[in-house]
Amino acid sequence: MYQSHFVDAIQNKKMVRLTFISKESGQKLTRTCAPMDFGPRRLAQNQSDRYHLWDYDSDHRHHILSLLPERIVDMEVLGDEFSPSEFVSWPTNWFVKRDWGKYS
C-alpha cells in the first residue's frame, strides 16, 4: 500500500513519519525515520518483503526498524531530507536501486 511512496522517499532521500503497531507492546507508535530499503530481512527465517528504516526517535542503541507491511498503520513522506552518511557505515547491497553516491 505504501511501497511506491516509500521507494520514492528512498530515491529522493526524504524522511518519513511512520505509524506502526509495536511487536513488543501491541500499541501504535509514531516515529520519524529515514527509509533504507524494501525487501526481505537477510537473516530472518521469514523472507517476506518488509520496510527497513532508520529510527531517529529510538531511545535504544539499535535504530533500525524492519517492519512487515501489515504492521504499518500510516506513512507520510516529509519534505525534510536525510543524509545516508548519518547511519550507513557498512557495505551496502540494497534491494531498491538508488543513487546515494558511495552509500549506494
Side-chain angles (χ1 to χ4, degrees):
M1 179 171 160
Y2 298 104
Q3 184 179 348
S4 65
H5 296 296
F6 188 78
V7 169
D8 287 343
I10 289 171
Q11 294 167 338
N12 294 302
K13 296 187 263 187
K14 296 291 185 181
M15 296 175 69
V16 298
R17 181 174 297 118
L18 182 75
T19 302
F20 64 98
I21 304 297
S22 167
K23 191 174 183 178
E24 291 79 22
S25 70
Q27 301 295 314
K28 286 184 188 178
L29 300 177
T30 300
R31 299 282 196 260
T32 302
C33 301
M36 295 172 53
D37 209 6
F38 184 81
R41 188 170 174 193
R42 296 186 197 285
L43 300 177
Q45 197 167 24
N46 176 346
Q47 287 293 296
S48 298
D49 287 341
R50 60 192 76 217
Y51 296 90
H52 303 280
L53 308 102
W54 183 260
D55 181 359
Y56 286 103
D57 299 332
S58 175
D59 56 357
H60 300 285
R61 187 174 157 263
H62 188 70
H63 296 282
I64 297 174
L65 293 174
S66 291
L67 303 170
L68 293 167
E70 57 266 21
R71 292 185 46 210
I72 306 294
V73 175
D74 190 40
M75 183 185 305
E76 176 187 358
V77 177
L78 304 174
D80 300 327
E81 288 189 12
F82 65 87
S83 173
S85 66
E86 295 173 322
F87 53 85
V88 179
S89 62
W90 57 88
T92 58
N93 187 17
W94 305 116
F95 291 102
V96 174
K97 302 276 187 227
R98 84 275 318 273
D99 181 10
W100 281 5
K102 72 177 187 175
Y103 302 103
S104 290

